[in-house]
Amino acid sequence: MNNKVGYLIRTIRHLHVCGSKLGPNFRTTMRTYTLGISRRKSAIQSVNLRRFLLNVPPRRLEPSLRLLSQGVPVYSKGDATVQEQNATKTLLDEHVQSSSSALDLLEEDRSVVEENLVVKSERSQSQQFSDDLQKCTSPCDVLDLVSKSAISEKHCSACFSTMWALTKKLSEDQKRYEKQLMVEHPAFMQLCQRLMQDSRSMWCDDLVYSLHAVVRLGLPQNTQLVQTLLRVCQERLNEFDDRCLSVVATALTTMGKSRNVDILQAGLQLLVETRIPKISNIFMLQSMMKCFGKDASLSLKRKFEDRVLKELDHLTPQNAQHMFIALAAMNHCSILILDASSNKIIEGIHGTPFWQLIHVLKSCRILRYRNVVLYSAIANYVTSHIYMWDTKQIVLFLSAFGGLRFRPVELMDILAEKVTSHPESLNLKDILSVLWVYSLLNHVPKRQNQEFLESLNGALNNYLTRISNVDLLKAVYSFCILEYLPQPALSQVLQEDNLNELLKSDGLNKEQNEMMLHCVNMCLELDSPSFTKPATVFIKKPSSPLVSDLPEVRMALLKLLGDERMFQQNIQRPHDYNIDFEIKMDADRKKVLPVTEVDDPADAPDVQRVAVLCASPSAFCFGTRHPQGKLAMKMRHLKALGYHVILVHDQEFKKLKEEEAIECLKGEIYSTDAFPVSDVNLQDNI
């Protein structure tokens, strides 16, 4: 046994000697295998050995084998010699078998190494392409990269997503220019063809993100590319996970109606209905809510609502902002969700982007959701960070508040100062928006009111040569509500040709124009009687009297005055003004006169007429008792006609007890020195 071991050692040593003739690679590889290093760690060396053994010339290999046989020790010439020779032969046979097995293993390792090298090469190329893609600064840069690279399916999807990401933050003009260059690029059609070819074999996420990017890039919906992607999404809809469904839903939100869009949306709705209970990601739920929108069935809307209610504990300020938009898209007002979302928005309002706040306010208007705490929080945030916003942004904020009939006093005063100082910062659209908001909310700046209106008038005069008659009438109407007559604009809108054009409109536009002209005519007569108006000014025919049923107010007046003959109800006056209750009193307002005693006010200058106007909550600015523009104008005009005006908030009056209601009316009707007045008051800021 010792002899065999010694022989084996001598044989291995001889291999090293032979290795010196065969080369350093042979020695290194044999040493690796002798030391028992694992195949994986020596794969490259194994390949080298295999290549070397296969390529070594026979004339160099034969002497080496000869040396192996010559190196066998001989101890005797008898059986011992034969035994040793047999042992040597056995060892050589084992070595040859071992070498054959090693060569088979080397062949395996070679294929594994080559596979790994190919994978590493592909990964390296893919990583390089991704790195180059991130360096692109325009869609044309992406297409240039495509034209000189071999792209995969994933690269194809990434190219479209990158092109969309590079354009989405550009201005509209820049977007149009970049998209034009993109479409005209030679590689663009090649990329579109590749996307259509690969769409059926793509990973699901690559497919849906490709559809999303193509749609967002503004490619026409009727193109073969868009229609192909829609059809493939229909076929593979059941393969999509929740995230993929969310991306498809987002893409469909911006698409118009078509056969493939409707089919995909219907399939998506059926699939989502079954998955809603398992979807816990609020963002995905919101994407789907926006996708189905107003067309969603009531049962589906309620399923969404129930699922969101279960996830309210995980609501973030950003989720809360998008929740308003999602509910508005479905036109589904869930007070519980909106209240919780409002609280989250108020908590994290600092740092909220401008457009998110605008979308929240617009969504409140669509949903008719009233939350004075939320409105006030947004108004206070905008006011306290006024340095962050330019004039146009403030105008947009006020327009959004105007749609909610909410009057942010401090913010409106700040804008008035800005407009007074820099009226040139407003374009025509801004001027019309400012006039609409201030007249609607009946806001008179605390300081420089006249200067503010004059600045707006001066800014409007710059556009008189290019403004439409309808917009001009709207501007004049707003000025009139604010008790200001813009002379140049007024003269232009009252020209006969312009009046005829305004009155030739059809349907709702005609009625609206008639109403505004009637209002302008009343303001000319009552606010500025000295103004000389053309004879052709339109005068609307008085409408039939509006019959109002106000039992609570009528009962309180009856209890207070003691007789129905002491007041009249539903009185129609000139200029189409309706008065809910009219009372006649002496000049000092200490005594109520029967309505039959004095029929003509001109014959009784010592008679004071009292008009009791009952207004619904919609006639006031939200959350206050401040009358809106048209109601304020009516009160002003009735005062000009000689009335003492009492404004009653109908909803709040109904909440009072009978004694409180009587005391309130008593304090408003009679003069303060007639008798002590109760502390309860009907109105403020009138």
Side-chain angles (χ1 to χ4, degrees):
M1 184 65 180
N2 291 335
N3 290 337
K4 290 183 180 180
V5 172
Y7 175 73
L8 182 58
I9 293 172
R10 286 194 299 274
T11 303
I12 291 172
R13 286 176 180 171
H14 195 74
L15 281 172
H16 283 291
V17 174
C18 297
S20 65
K21 295 181 181 181
L22 295 175
N25 290 336
F26 181 87
R27 290 199 306 274
T28 303
T29 306
M30 291 305 298
R31 182 163 57 250
T32 302
Y33 275 89
T34 303
L35 294 174
I37 298 176
S38 82
R39 287 190 299 139
R40 291 293 181 189
K41 293 184 179 179
S42 59
I44 297 176
Q45 294 175 343
S46 302
V47 172
N48 291 336
L49 175 61
R50 169 71 172 163
R51 289 174 180 169
F52 181 79
L53 291 176
L54 292 175
N55 296 322
V56 67
R59 59 186 177 81
R60 294 188 64 185
L61 191 56
E62 286 173 3
S64 302
L65 295 175
R66 226 176 8 254
L67 285 171
L68 283 172
S69 62
Q70 289 172 357
V72 177
V74 179
Y75 295 101
S76 66
K77 290 185 178 180
D79 294 335
T81 303
V82 175
Q83 232 176 356
E84 290 293 336
Q85 288 176 347
N86 289 339
T88 302
K89 182 179 179 182
T90 302
L91 285 171
L92 286 173
D93 289 342
E94 289 176 357
H95 180 69
V96 170
Q97 290 174 0
S98 176
S99 299
S100 176
S101 300
L103 290 175
D104 291 339
L105 292 172
L106 289 173
E107 184 64 31
E108 261 183 60
D109 287 341
R110 179 182 181 184
S111 63
V112 170
V113 170
E114 287 177 350
E115 272 184 34
N116 289 339
L117 291 174
V118 170
V119 171
K120 287 181 180 178
S121 175
E122 289 178 354
R123 286 179 180 173
S124 177
Q125 292 175 3
S126 178
Q127 185 60 45
Q128 183 61 47
F129 184 88
S130 299
D131 293 342
D132 293 340
L133 196 60
Q134 290 179 359
K135 296 175 183 176
C136 295
T137 58
S138 70
C140 286
D141 290 346
V142 176
L143 294 171
D144 289 339
L145 180 61
V146 169
S147 61
K148 60 184 180 182
S149 307
I151 62 173
S152 65
E153 295 173 356
K154 186 167 284 294
H155 292 157
C156 186
S157 176
C159 287
F160 278 102
S161 295
T162 302
M163 288 192 292
W164 170 66
L166 291 170
T167 58
K168 67 178 181 179
K169 293 184 179 180
L170 300 177
S171 65
E172 291 302 319
D173 291 338
Q174 288 176 316
K175 281 182 184 178
R176 280 192 293 270
Y177 177 71
E178 289 292 343
K179 287 178 182 177
Q180 184 66 28
L181 294 178
M182 177 187 74
V183 173
E184 294 173 354
H185 196 285
F188 181 70
M189 188 58 66
Q190 169 194 343
L191 188 62
C192 292
Q193 290 288 347
R194 179 64 188 274
L195 180 57
M196 284 192 291
Q197 292 169 6
D198 295 343
S199 59
R200 281 181 168 79
S201 58
M202 277 182 164
W203 290 94
C204 290
D205 56 346
D206 291 334
L207 173 62
V208 297
Y209 279 110
S210 297
L211 173 65
H212 179 266
V214 166
V215 171
R216 292 289 185 171
L217 279 170
L219 270 66
Q221 192 171 314
N222 59 353
T223 56
Q224 186 179 359
L225 173 60
V226 177
Q227 295 300 315
T228 299
L229 293 176
L230 288 171
R231 285 194 296 270
V232 174
C233 285
Q234 294 169 19
E235 296 167 5
R236 302 181 60 185
L237 192 59
N238 287 326
E239 302 174 27
F240 293 169
D241 59 14
D242 294 343
R243 182 172 296 279
C244 290
L245 293 178
S246 172
V247 176
V248 171
T250 303
L252 292 176
T253 302
T254 59
M255 300 184 74
K257 295 290 184 181
S258 72
R259 184 172 179 272
N260 280 321
V261 170
D262 293 343
I263 293 174
L264 181 56
Q265 195 167 24
L268 184 65
Q269 182 169 337
L270 291 174
L271 190 60
V272 167
E273 278 199 74
T274 62
R275 293 195 188 180
I276 284 178
K278 299 179 182 178
I279 301 175
S280 59
N281 188 301
I282 294 179
F283 177 76
M284 293 180 186
L285 289 169
Q286 291 168 344
S287 298
M288 296 171 190
M289 291 163 70
K290 287 186 277 188
C291 170
F292 301 130
K294 299 176 183 178
D295 296 333
S297 63
L298 183 59
S299 63
L300 180 59
K301 292 178 181 180
R302 286 177 175 168
K303 285 182 180 179
F304 277 122
E305 180 181 4
D306 293 341
R307 192 70 193 93
V308 172
L309 286 172
K310 293 178 181 178
E311 298 296 329
L312 285 183
D313 292 340
H314 304 105
L315 200 65
T316 65
Q318 188 176 10
N319 289 146
Q321 296 157 20
H322 286 283
M323 190 59 69
F324 275 85
I325 302 170
L327 288 172
M330 289 201 309
N331 196 21
H332 183 68
C333 183
S334 171
I335 300 299
L336 292 176
I337 295 177
L338 291 172
D339 285 346
S341 299
S342 297
N343 294 334
K344 280 293 180 182
I345 291 174
I346 294 170
E347 289 175 14
I349 195 168
H350 292 281
T352 304
F354 165 76
W355 280 111
Q356 285 300 106
L357 294 174
I358 293 293
H359 289 321
V360 168
L361 294 174
K362 288 184 176 180
S363 299
C364 289
R365 179 179 58 81
I366 293 171
L367 296 170
R368 297 181 181 178
Y369 174 66
R370 301 289 183 257
N371 188 330
V372 70
V373 178
L374 175 64
Y375 300 168
S376 300
I378 295 176
N380 292 337
Y381 172 70
V382 174
T383 303
S384 61
H385 294 75
I386 198 68
Y387 59 87
M388 294 172 52
W389 325 107
D390 58 31
T391 302
K392 293 184 182 298
Q393 288 176 314
I394 299 174
V395 171
L396 287 174
F397 273 124
L398 290 181
S399 296
F401 281 124
L404 297 167
R405 305 303 190 260
F406 179 75
R407 177 173 167 253
V409 177
E410 190 174 355
L411 186 60
M412 297 184 80
D413 286 340
I414 290 173
L415 180 62
E417 291 179 6
K418 286 180 174 289
V419 170
T420 302
S421 303
H422 304 286
E424 70 282 353
S425 63
L426 302 179
N427 58 26
L428 179 58
K429 184 178 179 181
D430 296 332
I431 295 169
L432 294 174
S433 296
V434 171
L435 284 170
W436 174 75
V437 172
Y438 280 73
S439 62
L440 174 69
L441 300 178
N442 181 33
H443 183 77
V444 178
K446 293 179 180 179
R447 294 177 294 177
Q448 299 181 332
N449 176 45
Q450 196 66 19
E451 291 84 349
F452 167 64
L453 295 174
E454 288 175 356
S455 297
L456 282 175
N457 184 30
L460 178 65
N461 290 339
N462 296 328
Y463 294 94
L464 289 182
T465 57
R466 40 188 163 151
I467 190 173
S468 69
N469 286 329
V470 173
D471 285 341
L472 181 60
L473 176 58
K474 289 179 180 178
V476 172
Y477 169 73
S478 296
F479 272 120
C480 288
I481 288 180
L482 292 169
E483 200 177 359
Y484 181 87
L485 299 180
Q487 298 293 340
L490 191 56
S491 299
Q492 181 169 322
V493 81
L494 293 180
Q495 291 176 7
E496 186 173 358
D497 293 341
N498 295 336
L499 287 174
N500 291 335
E501 180 182 337
L502 290 168
L503 296 176
K504 285 180 181 177
S505 303
D506 296 327
L508 184 62
N509 290 334
K510 181 179 180 180
E511 291 182 8
Q512 187 176 14
N513 292 344
E514 289 177 350
M515 182 275 296
M516 289 190 289
L517 283 170
H518 174 63
C519 174
V520 171
N521 183 62
M522 289 192 301
C523 291
L524 290 176
E525 291 184 3
L526 299 175
D527 292 334
S528 183
S530 60
F531 183 85
T532 305
K533 61 180 180 179
T536 56
V537 171
F538 172 78
I539 300 177
K540 184 181 177 183
K541 295 180 180 179
S543 60
S544 57
L546 179 63
V547 178
S548 56
D549 185 20
L550 303 163
E552 293 83 6
V553 179
R554 187 177 185 283
M555 184 59 65
L557 284 174
L558 189 59
K559 292 281 186 181
L560 176 63
L561 304 179
D563 193 337
E564 289 186 356
R565 294 178 301 169
M566 308 304 287
F567 63 90
Q568 289 180 302
Q569 188 173 359
N570 294 320
I571 304 301
Q572 191 75 18
R573 288 303 178 197
H575 308 290
D576 200 25
Y577 280 138
N578 182 75
I579 299 174
D580 295 310
F581 297 95
E582 181 176 329
I583 303 170
K584 295 180 179 180
M585 305 181 72
D586 63 350
D588 297 328
R589 286 179 38 228
K590 293 181 179 180
K591 180 183 178 182
V592 176
L593 305 175
V595 292
T596 55
E597 284 191 12
V598 181
D599 296 326
D600 188 358
D603 297 335
D606 294 334
V607 172
Q608 172 67 63
R609 290 173 296 169
V610 177
V612 179
L613 303 180
C614 300
S616 66
S618 62
F620 298 88
C621 294
F622 177 65
T624 70
R625 295 181 183 178
H626 184 82
Q628 293 181 24
K630 290 183 70 174
L631 178 57
M633 181 183 67
K634 179 178 179 179
M635 294 171 63
R636 185 176 75 238
H637 288 169
L638 287 176
K639 289 178 182 178
L641 291 172
Y643 281 93
H644 170 70
V645 181
I646 299 172
L647 184 60
V648 176
H649 192 295
D650 185 40
Q651 190 178 62
E652 293 189 5
F653 191 86
K654 291 178 181 179
K655 298 177 182 178
L656 298 177
K657 296 179 180 179
E658 183 177 323
E659 297 78 8
E660 293 175 337
I662 294 172
E663 285 297 320
C664 286
L665 289 177
K666 183 177 180 181
E668 294 294 333
I669 293 173
Y670 293 97
S671 63
T672 55
D673 58 345
F675 38 75
V677 180
S678 171
D679 292 335
V680 183
N681 203 339
L682 280 174
Q683 53 190 335
D684 67 16
N685 296 329
I686 293 179

